[in-house]
Amino acid sequence: MTSMRFSPKALMSSNTYAPAIEWKLLLPMEGSWRCFHDGRSVCNDEPGAHLRLFGRRSLAIALFVACSALSVGLFLFEIYSPEYGFRMPWIQTEFDPRSQVQS
Amino acid sequence: MSQDFGPPLSRRVLAALNYAYLSLVMFVIAGILTMAMTLQYANGELPCPLCLLERVAMLGVCFGIMLNLRRGFSYQNTAFSLLSAIFLLIVSVRQSLLDIYPRPGHEYIGSAIFGIHMPVWSIIIALSLLTAYAIKLAILGGDEYLREAELADFPAISKIASVLSLYVIAICVVDLASVMLQCGLGECHTFNYKLLQ
């Protein structure tokens, strides 16, 4: 996704609908700057602006993917243990006729 | 030139319900993680490696929700939450199978809450999350109204969501620091904090 930085005046005057381009605010939150997202505008002084926390979505997603990959790797490391891996010998899976309920 | 009066009321209500629902899910997960960390610091119950992965999965669910709240609705963000919920389910089922038969070194770790231990709770939480998402998609399904009404259009929910998001981020940072203290860069153990020895 493309991110572009523009002057506040240009952002304020722009009303072009451009769904493929994300007009992202990369500058400080002061003033009445505008952020265009899928053709909609959100002012900085609106309450929703608080959620524009730390910038780039792509970076956040990349970190999420890296964290997930590390977690999956650690999980696989855990379950491939030769002692208590997939075999799970502590779980009795053989049929025990004594446990059968007589009707 | 025709003036845009925004989405009709019914669509606004649906959008408000959706954002309220997402905030509620994040609130519940934040509560669960707070409880886990309280037990860790107050009772000295150090989390096992799989317990830590379950926390990561819950934070992953919150990540997808935060993206939906912050950047507007997207199925991509919803998928992050669902993938994390599935990962939570897999890890917690594995841990329950590991601890289901008590033997030396493999008892359930930590206190039981309402008689149920944490890995079993995690299964319940993961199934609840998946079910809740399925019900939400069935009832509030469709996405047109979500693209028309952003969170900023609902100031009260927006403020609550902002506070919750910051709180979850704070939990994540504290958790990361705690894991570094407990495990360093090596294998995790539940005996003590490795870096405090």
Side-chain angles (χ1 to χ4, degrees):
Chain A
M1 194 172 281
T2 310
S3 295
M4 305 176 78
R5 189 194 290 255
F6 287 91
S7 72
K9 195 171 276 184
L11 282 173
M12 292 287 281
S13 62
S14 172
N15 59 358
T16 310
Y17 181 66
I21 299 175
E22 188 174 69
W23 304 60
K24 195 162 67 175
L25 187 72
L26 300 173
L27 296 168
M29 304 276 284
E30 293 83 20
S32 56
W33 299 48
R34 279 175 180 270
C35 176
F36 286 82
H37 175 65
D38 286 347
R40 287 183 52 82
S41 64
V42 180
C43 292
N44 247 0
D45 47 4
E46 287 175 1
H50 298 302
L51 280 175
R52 223 177 291 131
L53 299 172
F54 302 126
R56 293 174 178 275
R57 180 175 186 267
S58 52
L59 178 65
I61 291 175
L63 288 173
F64 172 76
V65 171
C67 180
S68 300
L70 180 65
S71 300
V72 169
L74 286 171
F75 178 65
L76 291 176
F77 171 77
E78 283 283 330
I79 63 173
Y80 268 100
S81 162
E83 289 173 20
Y84 52 90
F86 289 113
R87 202 164 55 89
M88 293 189 275
W90 59 92
I91 299 178
Q92 183 63 259
T93 54
E94 288 180 6
F95 177 69
D96 184 0
R98 286 172 300 177
S99 66
Q100 202 169 22
V101 179
Q102 300 292 326
S103 57
Chain B
M1 183 183 284
S2 64
Q3 195 172 351
D4 182 18
F5 290 104
L9 183 63
S10 58
R11 286 170 168 246
R12 277 182 57 84
V13 170
L14 280 176
L17 277 175
N18 180 70
Y19 289 126
Y21 163 81
L22 291 177
S23 303
L24 181 67
V25 171
M26 199 156 62
F27 174 75
V28 171
I29 294 177
I32 292 164
L33 289 170
T34 305
M35 185 69 190
M37 294 176 78
T38 306
L39 287 173
Q40 178 182 346
Y41 299 124
N43 294 5
E45 297 177 0
L46 294 187
C48 59
L50 290 175
C51 309
L52 291 172
L53 287 180
E54 284 158 13
R55 289 187 191 182
V56 169
M58 287 189 205
L59 288 168
V61 175
C62 288
F63 175 79
I65 293 173
M66 275 192 272
L67 277 186
N68 256 341
L69 294 173
R70 177 174 173 266
R71 302 302 301 257
F73 173 79
S74 161
Y75 279 118
Q76 196 181 28
N77 303 334
T78 308
F80 292 143
S81 292
L82 289 175
L83 281 173
S84 299
I86 291 169
F87 183 61
L88 174 64
L89 182 63
I90 293 171
V91 173
S92 53
V93 165
R94 166 66 194 178
Q95 193 182 358
S96 296
L97 285 175
L98 201 60
D99 299 342
I100 199 167
Y101 184 80
R103 61 198 194 285
H106 284 286
E107 300 86 4
Y108 280 120
I109 290 172
S111 316
I113 310 288
F114 302 122
I116 298 177
H117 281 275
M118 210 275 293
V120 186
W121 270 120
S122 295
I123 295 176
I124 296 169
I125 292 162
L127 287 175
S128 303
L129 281 169
L130 291 171
T131 309
Y133 261 97
I135 291 172
K136 183 187 88 91
L137 288 173
I139 294 175
L140 301 178
D143 53 0
E144 297 85 5
Y145 62 93
L146 292 174
R147 297 188 193 283
E148 290 170 4
E150 291 189 353
L151 182 62
D153 299 334
F154 311 102
I157 302 175
S158 175
K159 278 179 187 166
I160 293 169
S162 298
V163 171
L164 276 172
S165 300
L166 287 170
Y167 182 66
V168 169
I169 290 171
I171 288 177
C172 187
V173 171
V174 173
D175 224 359
L176 180 66
S178 173
V179 169
M180 292 303 290
L181 272 181
Q182 184 186 342
C183 314
L185 294 175
E187 205 171 331
C188 284
H189 294 288
T190 54
F191 314 130
N192 48 31
Y193 291 97
K194 190 182 279 183
L195 296 188
L196 293 183
Q197 278 182 318

